[in-house]
Amino acid sequence: HYVAQQEGLLTLKCPEGAIDLTTDKKLNITVNYLGDSIVNVKIAPIDRKAWTIPNRFYPKLDMSDRSKSARAVLVESDPVSIAILGPQYRTLLTVSGLQFKPYFVSFSVTSRINSSIFGLGYRAGPLRKAYGRYALLSRDAATLPENGNLYSAHPLYMELATDGSAHGLFLRNSSPAEVVYEPGRLEWRVIGGIIDIFVFTGPTPKDVMRQLGAVIGRPPVPDPTFLGLQQSRYGYGRVSDLRAVVEAYR
């Protein structure tokens, strides 16, 4: 049996011989168990107030089944690491390598070597991601390179294991960010805010998407009149260009 919320304090220590890049040493950690399939871990500095996205921008979460959660969070203090356990108490991922400064926050999340990573959009290119660096910053451009940013940023990924099981992670942070995907881990770097992650324990890709919708909301069904032909006006240099397009539809 797990309570709905747990809180504690973390102290970041610099490893011996390493350069100390962290200015916020004392952190508050809050763990929320949302239903039986979502875990929210929030880590914020104690000595200063950092920007967080107001809850009013998100739907009210249904926590009616929180006492039935079969998930758990294990926190180690030296060095700091947070393990998220899923079905059968199997470790889904571990968060470590925390750095906190007023304009820089970073952490690493483990991944399985043979798994596939999807998401980290919105960008041109395949949904399944190769190893590399992915910026999360909205951009509008006429031409885009491979993996170039598009109109919105979604700090979310889903990991699909070889056995078909899946889990996901969503970072609730509105600051520009980048993710470095390397064998065995994803390193997140954000230029502000706090660590506010939601882990979706699946266990199927469809379950992960359903759990994401419970956190950020689901799109409304559009009116049928909105589902007709859409014509872009981009690139019309003269009125005659627009008239020619209109005439071609008649």
Side-chain angles (χ1 to χ4, degrees), residues 130-198:
Y131 296 136
R133 186 190 307 268
Y134 297 92
L136 297 174
L137 183 67
S138 302
R139 182 171 182 260
D140 182 11
T143 58
L144 286 171
E146 182 75 8
N147 287 319
N149 298 93
L150 289 171
Y151 302 107
S152 58
H154 302 271
L156 161 81
Y157 74 87
M158 180 177 70
E159 181 172 339
L160 181 63
T162 54
D163 62 1
S165 63
H167 65 270
L169 182 146
F170 167 62
L171 173 65
R172 186 163 68 170
N173 188 309
S174 59
S175 299
E178 71 173 7
V179 178
V180 179
Y181 176 31
E182 299 175 332
R185 71 170 192 153
L186 296 94
E187 182 179 353
W188 292 73
R189 303 166 180 169
V190 194
I191 65 170
I194 66 172
I195 297 175
D196 188 5
I197 60 174
F198 291 81

